[in-house]
Amino acid sequence: MGRSPRRDLLAGLTVAIVALPLALGFGVSSGLGAEAGLATAVVAGALAAIFGGSNLQVSGPTGAMTVVLVPIVARYGPGGVLTVGLLAGLMLITLALARAGRYMQYVPAPVVEGFTLGIACVIGLQQVPNALGVAKPEGDKVLVVTWRAVEAFAEEPNWTAAGLAAAVAALMLIGARWRPAIPFSVLAVIGATVVAQLCHLDAARPIGDLPAGLPAPSPAFLDLGALGSLLAPAVAVAALAALESLLSASVADGMTVGQKHDPDKELFGQGIANLAAPLFGGVPATGAIARTAVNVRTGASSRLAALTHAAVLAVIVFAAAPLVSRIPLAALAGVLIATAIRMVEVGSLRAMARATRSDGLVLILTAVATVALDLVYAVIVGLLVAGALALRAVAKQVRLDQVPLKADLTGDHSAEEHALLTEHIVAYRIDGPLFFAAAHRFLLELSEVADVRVVILRMSRVTTMDATGALVLKDAVTKLNRRGITVLASGIRPGQRHVLDSVGALGLLRAATGDDYAGTPEAIAAARSHLHGAGVLPPAPAVPARARSHAPAAVITEESSR
């Protein structure tokens, strides 16, 4: 299956060792228990590896998904979460068939960074009750739950649990800097479990009994009457699964040479994985960035590594369930706290914040929304703010500049005639996009044109135009016409001509002469004829006829006269 099966098998074993405490911890954090996390890691991990679009992606339960699932568990119970996972799987398959995977590239980097920072904060805060050894308080808002947990700890401190969590987190963080290749998360959990057993630390609550194997697949959790109320949570889960999986696959591509994932196939694989995992009691799954990165760093080159990871976890479920059940919850909390801290790339955040004020604002708003609202709303907020700021930046690019006529005057002109032409005709060049975000500023500028007889609009540099821009141009031309000023246009591109014609603006630009012009010299000649007819100019001297054309501005333009 791969160029080096031995390296793939070793990578899969390493990822399984890293994934075991994470699967247990995220299962516990979700509210469905450690067994749900293991079931997801085994079932979804194998199916996503087989059907997904990345050779290196490792899938399973993740902290980001846990953040979304906690309020769903609180409101709808375990059966509701399983149903949501099933619905999300169907939605992911639909997205894959609609070829929606390519749209991931339009998510701005500040949104992704803020999203990741917010997730890290929420994951860390979610572990506070188990890390402090107190029962999880009621509530679905992580900040409220965390505060109540701290209050409960202050009333009755459990220093044993807090010490175990702190020791595990510290060992992971220090060990990762000292020997990155060693799986300190597993060593720390084993150490904490041994200490808790030998010292009879009753305050260190264990995970509890785990089934020795996966349950038989069953759709018994389905409640058809509740499907309507679960659609909205399912959309949130599907959106998060798509976003995180495609982001993780992109990260894997960036860490290798020659590997490139298929985004639509990846969505399909995640959909199959999420259809199957709930049938075995598992929580919804996504591509896991941390486990995928470990997979790449340890030399994986094919799907065999991710399949090996799932197989090793399956063996652990069948053979070592009694041992795993003794792991203290505080130790798992320490693992997830360290994981959350390691998710925060300080250098990347600093660089993003320093790039522009807009990038920094988007990053901060996305992170705050992730903590205060939920992940899907956070991404929506980030995208809306980023889009608004981007439109603002693009809108500033539109310019209306007066340009001299001299270079475009054809034929022989006396000094007196030249003075009359420049007195009564003014030319403006429009640069940039003429669209809804910039149009009204343009209207104000053009409407304030000085008292002349003819205005020539040079439009070959208009990069884009929408209906709003065309309507605003129409309003500006109408206002100038009411002041007795004729408006002519040159360099209109065929696509823009259609937009102008659809809102009635093209007719106004052609009203005086019955035409629009490929270049500025032709427009000046028409303006001169208009002024001669009005008695402002003497009869025009004989000049060589210039061919008119409605060819695209790229073929006949006013470039030479700029």
Side-chain angles (χ1 to χ4, degrees), residues 108-434:
V111 174
V112 175
E113 292 290 344
F115 178 74
T116 305
L117 175 60
I119 288 172
C121 293
V122 174
I123 292 172
L125 292 172
Q126 281 181 341
Q127 309 317 310
V128 170
N130 284 338
L132 298 180
V134 301
K136 183 180 178 181
E138 293 293 326
D140 57 359
K141 295 296 183 184
V142 67
L143 292 173
V144 174
V145 171
T146 301
W147 178 252
R148 290 174 179 171
V150 171
E151 287 181 330
F153 179 81
E155 293 175 2
E156 191 175 344
N158 184 345
W159 295 110
T160 300
L164 282 177
V168 169
L171 181 59
M172 283 184 62
L173 295 173
I174 296 171
R177 287 181 173 272
W178 179 51
R179 289 286 189 274
I182 299 176
F184 281 98
S185 59
V186 173
L187 296 179
V189 168
I190 291 174
T193 304
V194 170
V195 169
Q197 293 297 312
L198 293 178
C199 299
H200 304 288
L201 300 179
D202 296 332
R205 293 180 296 145
I207 292 175
D209 293 336
L210 291 174
L214 295 175
S218 170
F221 58 85
L222 272 176
D223 180 2
L224 297 180
L227 291 181
S229 61
L230 293 173
L231 280 177
V235 170
V237 168
L240 176 60
L243 179 68
E244 190 173 13
S245 298
L246 294 178
L247 175 62
S248 177
S250 298
V251 169
D253 290 348
M255 296 175 67
T256 60
V257 177
Q259 293 280 0
K260 186 170 179 61
H261 74 284
D262 181 334
D264 297 314
K265 190 176 179 183
E266 181 61 29
L267 289 180
F268 181 78
Q270 295 296 332
I272 295 295
N274 279 288
L275 271 179
L279 300 176
F280 292 88
V283 295
T286 74
I289 295 177
R291 276 156 274 178
T292 299
V294 171
N295 194 38
V296 176
R297 291 193 191 108
T298 48
S301 60
S302 78
R303 299 167 190 264
L304 178 59
L307 284 169
T308 302
H309 137 270
V312 171
L313 290 177
V315 170
I316 292 173
V317 170
F318 281 98
L323 296 176
V324 173
S325 66
R326 298 179 183 179
I327 296 174
L329 288 173
L332 292 180
V335 170
L336 299 187
I337 288 172
T339 300
I341 293 172
R342 291 171 62 181
M343 286 176 65
V344 180
E345 296 284 349
V346 177
S348 178
L349 292 175
R350 187 182 291 117
M352 198 66 63
R354 288 177 177 175
T356 66
R357 289 184 179 180
S358 296
D359 289 333
L361 177 62
V362 171
L363 190 154
I364 292 170
L365 284 177
T366 305
V368 171
T370 301
V371 176
L373 302 173
D374 67 41
L375 274 67
V376 176
Y377 283 135
V379 172
I380 292 172
V381 168
L383 288 175
L384 289 176
V385 174
L389 293 174
L391 286 174
R392 179 171 171 266
V394 172
K396 287 183 176 180
Q397 296 176 7
V398 67
R399 294 175 54 189
L400 182 71
D401 297 320
Q402 184 175 350
V403 291
L405 293 177
K406 185 175 182 181
D408 298 302
L409 290 174
T410 58
D412 298 324
H413 300 278
S414 65
E416 179 184 2
E417 185 180 22
H418 186 276
L420 286 172
L421 285 170
T422 55
E423 177 184 354
H424 294 292
I425 304 173
V426 63
Y428 285 93
R429 183 175 60 222
I430 307 172
D431 282 272
L434 190 57

Side-chain angles (χ1 to χ4, degrees), residues 453-456 477 480-481 484-489 504-517 522-534 548:
R453 294 294 187 97
V454 179
V455 170
I456 296 174
V477 172
L480 292 174
N481 289 163
I485 300 174
T486 298
V487 182
L488 306 177
L506 191 61
L508 290 177
L509 293 171
R510 290 176 167 178
T513 62
D515 209 345
D516 60 270
Y517 302 92
E522 291 89 340
I524 292 176
R528 191 187 184 291
S529 299
H530 175 74
L531 293 176
H532 170 65
R548 291 183 179 180

Side-chain angles (χ1 to χ4, degrees), residues 484-502:
I485 300 174
T486 298
V487 182
L488 306 177
S490 69
I492 301 177
R493 303 186 185 192
Q496 296 164 3
R497 186 177 287 115
H498 173 74
V499 177
L500 290 168
D501 192 33
S502 67

